[in-house]
Amino acid sequence: MPRGRIEIIEEYCKGCQLCVKFCPKDCIEISTDKINPNGYLLPIFVSEDECTGCGICGWMCPECTIDVYRYIEN
Amino acid sequence: MKDKSSDVKKVTGRPDLRLLSLGMYCPGCHYGIITRVICEVIEELGVAGKAIGLAGVGCSFGGAPMTIDIDWTSCPHGRAPAMATAIKRIYPDAMVLTVQGDGDLGAIGLGCFMNALVRGENLTTIFLNNAVYGTTGGQMAPTTLLGMKTTTTPLGRDIQTNGYPLHVPELAATMRGVAYAARCTVHTPANFQKAKKSLKTAIQKQIDGIGYGIVEFVSACPPGWGLKPLECLDYISERMLEEYPLGEFKNVDKTD
């Protein structure tokens, strides 16, 4: 059951890979062929089942491009 | 699969005060994370309406006013504490903070900064220490580490010709008008949260009228150091924090 997901504003990403480094579950990977209009390699959200919605990638993004959402248990 | 529209909570995202801007930050620059710290603290304290920011010259000037949605003015090089003094005396209810880099505060503006401390002004200074002059191409700054290679010290900084690194919060802690002096970093998520707490305390000291608060952020400059963004994180934990230890150097509730 997925517990969280992230959304990346790709236009403003600068490809620094801090989100890849700090994700505790390794849910984010840097792509090898997906680039944005500024020429930076973009991170991609690969593992929706592992994401817990902890928010660490959102804190550590220098450009504040990552929004983190968590599914609430009913 | 759950219904995403009804039971989804936003955990974290861009703060309302943080503007999306391609700005002048290089990839991996920690100043972007620090602007997030500033935005979140101002939002949590609820002082966005009465906040006035003063930006020094350098990357701190290029980044902070373009990305933080409060009132800003730019200052002559190094004179932010002097202008902040005037603004604070004209508008005593305003929350005045200066954002200055290591060249702005530590080199050309050290006189204005020290005089503001001596007067015991009721301000908050955010000191961004990335150990080089990032805007102009990575020259040696007062806070450059001993042995660190920059474009003006190609053989590494040595004591004989270049002197010693400058420790600003320790210096400020010796002044009687200073209520809060601390050093923090944002290079790990745990330190990010500690940095928020430090900055919140410093701004709260100003709101309560206790005295000067200064928070130094040890941060990375990937192009200035000639390292990749991820290598800078190791460099901070191995080299920078050895020279610049983290912690609170002064935290008093009453200045005499």
Side-chain angles (χ1 to χ4, degrees):
Chain A
M1 181 69 73
R3 293 162 66 191
R5 68 183 157 88
I6 64 169
E7 285 175 6
I8 301 169
I9 308 168
E10 296 181 342
E11 188 187 342
Y12 290 93
C13 176
K14 287 181 180 167
C16 66
Q17 305 183 26
L18 292 188
C19 52
V20 181
K21 159 95 178 173
F22 285 109
C23 179
K25 300 282 185 183
D26 295 331
C27 298
I28 312 172
E29 285 178 3
I30 199 77
S31 66
T32 52
D33 54 352
K34 196 178 168 192
I35 59 172
N36 69 0
N38 297 311
Y40 296 116
L41 282 172
L42 289 170
I44 37 178
F45 183 48
V46 289
S47 174
E48 196 162 318
D49 293 337
E50 290 288 317
C51 180
T52 60
C54 64
I56 286 177
C57 54
W59 300 344
M60 298 308 290
C61 178
E63 302 297 326
C64 297
T65 60
I66 302 179
D67 292 341
V68 184
Y69 298 90
R70 190 181 294 168
Y71 302 131
I72 301 165
E73 299 280 338
N74 289 321
Chain B
M1 194 68 194
K2 290 185 174 181
D3 179 16
K4 286 185 181 177
S5 61
S6 62
D7 53 359
V8 163
K9 184 180 73 168
K10 192 171 183 179
V11 179
T12 184
R14 185 169 55 84
D16 292 337
L17 287 179
R18 177 65 153 79
L19 305 174
L20 270 179
S21 162
L22 284 171
M24 61 179 285
Y25 294 138
C26 308
C29 179
H30 286 188
Y31 284 9
I33 309 176
I34 295 165
T35 56
R36 183 191 187 90
V37 174
I38 298 170
C39 290
E40 290 191 358
V41 167
I42 290 176
E43 281 180 7
E44 286 172 17
L45 290 172
V47 292
K50 56 178 186 176
I52 300 175
L54 291 100
V57 172
C59 291
S60 56
F61 165 66
M66 277 201 274
T67 50
I68 304 176
D69 192 11
I70 59 174
D71 291 339
W72 286 93
T73 182
S74 61
C75 305
H77 203 347
R79 311 299 168 224
M83 285 180 69
T85 300
I87 289 173
K88 184 71 181 179
R89 290 182 182 193
I90 295 168
Y91 305 109
D93 293 335
M95 197 280 285
V96 183
L97 79 161
T98 72
V99 181
Q100 299 177 268
D102 42 11
D104 192 70
L105 187 147
I108 191 169
L110 193 57
C112 273
F113 174 66
M114 292 305 294
N115 277 299
L117 296 184
V118 169
R119 292 195 302 271
E121 297 293 341
N122 193 14
L123 303 170
T124 305
T125 287
I126 297 163
F127 173 44
L128 309 176
N129 172 10
N130 62 0
V132 289
Y133 290 157
T135 310
T136 49
Q139 290 86 0
M140 190 196 81
T143 48
T144 299
L145 305 178
L146 292 174
M148 187 172 174
K149 288 181 180 174
T150 65
T151 52
T152 45
T153 55
L155 301 178
R157 179 176 186 168
D158 75 311
I159 297 170
Q160 287 289 329
T161 49
N162 306 120
Y164 296 92
L166 175 69
H167 294 72
V168 170
E170 287 96 324
L171 182 68
T174 61
M175 297 294 190
R176 290 170 64 185
V178 174
Y180 189 79
R183 181 183 287 120
C184 45
T185 87
V186 290
H187 80 294
T188 63
N191 280 302
F192 174 89
Q193 294 295 340
K194 286 179 192 166
K196 263 182 75 174
K197 200 178 159 195
S198 291
L199 185 59
K200 206 171 186 173
T201 313
I203 293 179
Q204 191 65 49
K205 299 277 183 200
Q206 184 193 151
I207 294 170
D208 296 343
I210 296 171
Y212 210 109
I214 173 159
V215 182
E216 172 178 339
F217 287 88
V218 176
S219 48
C221 180
W225 296 356
L227 299 173
K228 288 181 180 173
L230 296 185
E231 294 169 345
C232 286
L233 302 171
D234 298 332
Y235 191 88
I236 287 183
S237 50
E238 288 166 12
R239 296 283 311 277
M240 292 286 282
L241 297 189
E242 195 179 315
E243 177 71 35
Y244 299 110
L246 303 179
E248 291 183 354
F249 301 100
K250 193 171 185 185
N251 186 356
V252 294
D253 291 331
K254 188 174 182 299
T255 51
D256 51 351

